[in-house]
Amino acid sequence: MLKLINDNNCGWIKDLNPRVNIKTLSKNQNCDFLIVGAGYTGLSAARKLGEIYPNKNITLVDAQLAGEGASSRNSGYLVDATLNDGFTSDRDLENYKKKTDIYKLGIEAVKKFIQEYQVDCDFNECGKYYASSKFEDKKILENFSKVLSNLDFENELLSNKDLKKILGTDFYNVGLYTKGGILLHPGKLVRAMINALPNNVNLFENSFLNNWKINNGKIICEFEKGIIKSKKIIFATNGFLKSLGIKKNYNFPLTLTASMTRPLTTKEYLDIGSPKEWGVLSVRPMGATVRMTKDKRILIRNTAEVSNPFKMTKLELDKRAAIHRIGINKRFPQFPNDIIESTWSGVVSRSRNSSQIFEKLDNNVFVAGCYNGSGIGVGTLFGEQIAIKAANETSEEIKIIEKKKKPTWLPPTFFLDIGVKTRLMYERLRSISDI
Ligand SMILES: Cc1cc2nc3c(=O)[nH]c(=O)nc-3n(C[C@H](O)[C@H](O)[C@H](O)COP(=O)(O)OP(=O)(O)OC[C@H]3O[C@@H](n4cnc5c(N)ncnc54)[C@H](O)[C@@H]3O)c2cc1C
């Protein structure tokens, strides 16, 4: 039987108080709506359905503790645009506009949530940087700057000197600042979504969905210790959509790993020029994302690979931590070798053309996911909106979401694995200086 086993060493989760009153499915249940997956998407869907139907029975299940998948394990960039979407020329500007419209709605959805529930998640509208150590990447940044300007995103090209002053490292030689990005604490955000669940939402954790089928219009879901029968179902399992047979020829899981240092000492911090909180995204897809957090820790994410999404062994994780250490050392050679305090992995979902999934699959079956690494805002938005769709209602947001391109077809797993691995290896070689 499959089981999802996560490491216990995510720096963001360790910042939070352990949760209590965890319920696990132990007997058969009936409900009106079943939501599978309790990350940003599933929690937002459950919150919205609870609001729409205060008297219906809504059940939310997760294979692990709610929110402790990718939604707690990400780098905390709430993005307005990303270079990795591949739009670095005006050729496809209209499609990029559709994508950034969705990002914008995602930011608004998160902002609305944190205002309504008075959430403290270290929300910082400080913008973000794309930066590279390679001078030849300047051309990519100049092109991207033009695209952003055409879409009215404020941005500014930066030199090594500017970047050193802002970031406290002289590793980067070319950069681009975009004003609209937000940095936040992903674990605090998702924890607030768990706390905000309405009373008519039943949450079952550590409850892994093994199989599901539709029988006489009812959805039947088998778990280890019980069956849930539901009138409607929403799949919100993101990196695990494929393993449940959902849109399996349109998305695939990628495993990412990240590390976080301890807080810098006062001396270490002064020595790098006391920079304000910042976040850098890489110019090349396989380069590192690096962040200086509000409490002066450094986060690095520099691996992404096709791997078993259900488990990463300690040995495998230690190997990734060594790559993170190299990345930190390149940027801050003065810091001690043992400065990393935590290392973790997380699973995301990718599509071939970077398009997300938001669909009604069957009469009573809905799915939202596949955010290609940008799920904080879009996951929150898609969760709320797929709930509205499952309630047979519509919204302006749904109209905008449904204008986007659909994910394109992927080859069968064997060929896909070879193709993705080759592509990642190629990208990795091109980004090697910037891991
Ligand atoms: C290292 C890393 C860095 C990232 N950085 C960023 C970033 O800076 N900005 C950004 O926007 N995004 C980032 N992402 C992506 C972002 O975290 C995801 O897009 C987002 O969390 C997706 O939310 P979700 O609710 O759809 O999925 P998840 O948070 O993955 O939740 C899905 C849930 O489904 C559950 N599940 C799976 N299978 C089953 C089953 N069979 N039965 C029951 N439950 C099941 C899982 O346990 C999981 O909790 C990053 C991800 C990682 C891993």
Side-chain angles (χ1 to χ4, degrees):
M1 195 179 294
L2 272 176
K3 216 175 154 74
L4 208 161
I5 303 169
N6 247 321
D7 57 78
N8 242 336
N9 201 17
C10 171
W12 299 121
I13 298 175
K14 286 185 183 178
D15 291 343
L16 308 173
N17 292 327
R19 299 216 357 270
V20 288
N21 299 331
I22 311 293
K23 275 192 294 171
T24 298
L25 188 76
S26 56
K27 58 178 197 281
N28 295 350
Q29 308 269 340
N30 285 302
C31 62
D32 297 302
F33 289 91
L34 174 64
I35 301 151
V36 188
Y40 303 128
T41 309
L43 289 161
S44 302
R47 184 175 66 252
K48 184 51 91 182
L49 277 177
E51 277 166 24
I52 301 175
Y53 295 118
N55 298 319
K56 292 214 178 202
N57 181 335
I58 297 151
T59 298
L60 173 62
V61 290
D62 201 292
Q64 54 188 317
L65 289 180
E68 297 204 0
S71 293
S72 276
R73 294 165 176 269
N74 62 68
S75 308
Y77 294 70
L78 175 53
V79 296
D80 55 342
T82 91
L83 183 50
N84 289 344
D85 286 329
F87 293 89
T88 46
S89 79
D90 285 351
R91 218 165 11 110
D92 211 5
L93 202 61
E94 204 184 310
N95 267 319
Y96 197 35
K97 164 102 178 56
K98 286 182 192 159
K99 191 143 203 188
T100 54
D101 284 346
I102 291 177
Y103 288 143
K104 197 168 154 212
L105 289 177
I107 293 179
E108 281 166 17
V110 174
K111 273 192 177 172
K112 187 163 170 278
F113 171 74
I114 63 173
Q115 271 156 16
E116 207 170 314
Y117 291 87
Q118 295 288 303
V119 175
D120 174 9
C121 60
D122 302 344
F123 196 85
N124 187 351
E125 296 186 70
C126 56
K128 63 180 178 324
Y129 301 86
Y130 299 94
S132 170
S133 66
K134 285 161 116 178
F135 284 104
E136 67 251 41
D137 285 347
K138 191 168 178 200
K139 194 79 217 143
I140 301 178
L141 290 177
E142 283 171 350
N143 289 340
F144 190 48
S145 164
K146 278 188 208 141
V147 172
L148 290 174
S149 300
N150 282 333
L151 292 172
D152 287 332
F153 287 104
E154 264 184 66
N155 67 89
E156 189 189 347
L157 286 159
L158 300 167
S159 67
N160 164 284
K161 216 168 118 215
D162 305 323
L163 291 161
K164 177 161 190 207
K165 206 163 147 207
I166 298 163
L167 310 175
T169 164
D170 69 358
F171 175 75
Y172 297 106
N173 287 313
V174 287
L176 178 73
Y177 172 67
T178 64
K179 192 162 175 261
I182 292 152
L183 295 178
L184 53 74
H185 189 306
K188 288 187 184 172
L189 176 65
V190 76
R191 178 62 65 88
M193 289 187 184
I194 300 170
N195 294 337
L197 282 175
N199 287 339
N200 60 327
V201 173
N202 270 319
L203 172 63
F204 293 109
E205 301 171 73
N206 296 322
S207 305
F208 185 93
L209 171 63
N210 288 316
N211 286 302
W212 70 282
K213 63 181 178 203
I214 306 175
N215 199 344
N216 287 333
K218 263 227 142 156
I219 293 127
I220 317 238
C221 294
E222 282 175 30
F223 295 80
E224 197 185 349
K225 291 192 185 133
I227 290 176
I228 301 182
K229 291 187 185 164
S230 180
K231 291 182 188 152
K232 294 194 179 186
I233 189 164
I234 297 176
F235 286 99
T237 54
N238 203 41
F240 300 88
L241 289 172
K242 194 180 165 92
S243 61
L244 285 166
I246 310 293
K247 301 286 293 176
K248 62 178 188 212
N249 292 322
Y250 296 87
N251 80 107
F252 61 94
L254 269 190
T255 303
L256 276 47
T257 64
S259 282
M260 188 132 69
T261 67
R262 59 162 170 71
L264 302 187
T265 62
T266 307
K267 177 164 187 327
E268 284 165 345
Y269 183 61
L270 285 173
D271 283 352
I272 61 167
S274 312
K276 290 196 185 122
E277 182 177 11
W278 51 257
V280 172
L281 292 170
S282 69
V283 175
R284 308 265 178 182
M286 293 295 282
T289 41
V290 189
R291 242 186 97 170
M292 164 78 73
T293 64
K294 185 183 169 200
D295 60 357
K296 305 180 185 65
R297 291 178 290 180
I298 293 169
L299 172 140
I300 184 160
R301 187 214 50 80
N302 64 7
T303 78
E305 60 201 301
V306 179
S307 182
N308 172 5
F310 291 94
K311 186 180 178 170
M312 180 171 273
T313 63
K314 165 117 183 30
L315 187 68
E316 287 170 317
L317 197 54
D318 287 348
K319 282 189 193 156
R320 311 303 179 273
I323 305 172
H324 302 152
R325 210 161 20 246
I326 293 170
I328 290 189
N329 198 260
K330 280 183 178 203
R331 290 157 180 85
F332 299 101
Q334 65 275 43
F335 293 166
N337 242 333
D338 61 355
I339 194 162
I340 288 179
E341 207 170 54
S342 52
T343 301
W344 63 92
S345 70
V347 182
V348 299
S349 165
R350 284 228 47 141
S351 62
R352 188 173 181 172
N353 61 347
S354 278
S355 199
Q356 307 103 344
I357 298 174
F358 180 89
E359 271 177 56
K360 177 175 179 170
L361 295 178
D362 199 278
N363 252 346
N364 297 316
V365 183
F366 299 81
V367 54
C370 192
Y371 309 116
N372 297 290
S374 315
I376 300 177
V378 186
T380 304
L381 171 75
F382 276 27
E384 292 176 356
Q385 299 302 320
I386 203 72
I388 293 174
K389 200 172 170 73
N392 293 328
E393 293 179 15
T394 192
S395 68
E396 279 312 305
E397 287 87 344
I398 292 180
K399 285 182 200 151
I400 294 171
I401 293 168
E402 292 186 339
K403 274 194 211 150
K404 71 174 181 55
K405 276 189 177 170
K406 291 206 165 171
T408 40
W409 185 84
L410 289 165
T413 304
F414 173 75
F415 297 105
L416 174 71
D417 280 0
I418 295 177
V420 174
K421 280 181 180 157
T422 313
R423 176 85 205 174
L424 291 178
M425 210 186 316
Y426 168 73
E427 291 293 354
R428 192 157 188 84
L429 283 174
R430 284 177 18 128
S431 315
I432 201 81
S433 57
D434 279 46
I435 61 159

